[in-house]
Amino acid sequence: MQLSARMPEALAYIDAHLGERLTLPGIAGTVDSSAHHFAHAFKRLVGIAPHQYVMQRRLHSAKELLQSTDLPIAEVALAVGCANQSHFSALFHKTTGVTPLSYRQSRRRQQDFDIRLQHGPIA
């Protein structure tokens, strides 16, 4: 089977293992490919390198957790595969321009505002 047909398996594997240490050989092995061949095919098919894709998925998952849970930021960091809160916060800030705590607070304020808009002013 061609690697392009098996790429959804690799993407699903990445999503299912975001909280773990993901390596290129490990991901490539899920679709019976060499790391070198997989990396080239991945970039051609997905448009970005595997490492960039993993980082994007981790940040997306972190944003969802920050918005929808009360998990401490250190636990969010571990849940998305970062070694510690400091590394996670630096990566998050570099990518989004805000700290994880600021992101959480702004999203919660936005959700509160949206709820007030839907239900009208409180009398």
Side-chain angles (χ1 to χ4, degrees), residues 34-54:
S34 72
H36 178 76
H37 182 71
F38 177 80
H40 285 285
F42 191 97
K43 183 154 186 170
R44 182 174 42 81
L45 295 167
V46 180
I48 57 176
H51 177 74
Q52 291 174 303
Y53 180 82
V54 169

Side-chain angles (χ1 to χ4, degrees), residues 18-116:
L18 284 177
E20 302 170 19
R21 184 172 181 269
L22 290 168
T23 65
L24 184 57
I27 299 167
T30 66
V31 291
D32 301 320
S33 176
S34 72
H36 178 76
H37 182 71
F38 177 80
H40 285 285
F42 191 97
K43 183 154 186 170
R44 182 174 42 81
L45 295 167
V46 180
I48 57 176
H51 177 74
Q52 291 174 303
Y53 180 82
V54 169
M55 297 311 293
Q56 284 182 3
R57 295 300 303 143
R58 284 182 168 158
L59 285 170
H60 177 78
S61 181
K63 287 177 180 180
E64 287 180 345
L65 289 171
L66 289 168
Q67 268 184 259
S68 64
T69 73
D70 290 322
L71 286 173
I73 292 171
E75 288 185 35
V76 172
L78 293 175
V80 298
C82 290
N84 57 55
Q85 180 177 344
S86 177
H87 174 73
F88 169 69
S89 292
L91 175 67
F92 194 92
H93 186 267
K94 180 181 175 186
T95 306
T96 65
V98 296
T99 65
L101 181 59
S102 294
Y103 180 85
R104 174 178 270 167
Q105 291 169 338
S106 71
R107 293 299 174 185
R108 296 240 167 112
R109 282 193 300 272
Q110 183 62 46
Q111 287 171 344
D112 291 345
F113 180 74
D114 291 345
I115 290 170
R116 285 193 303 270

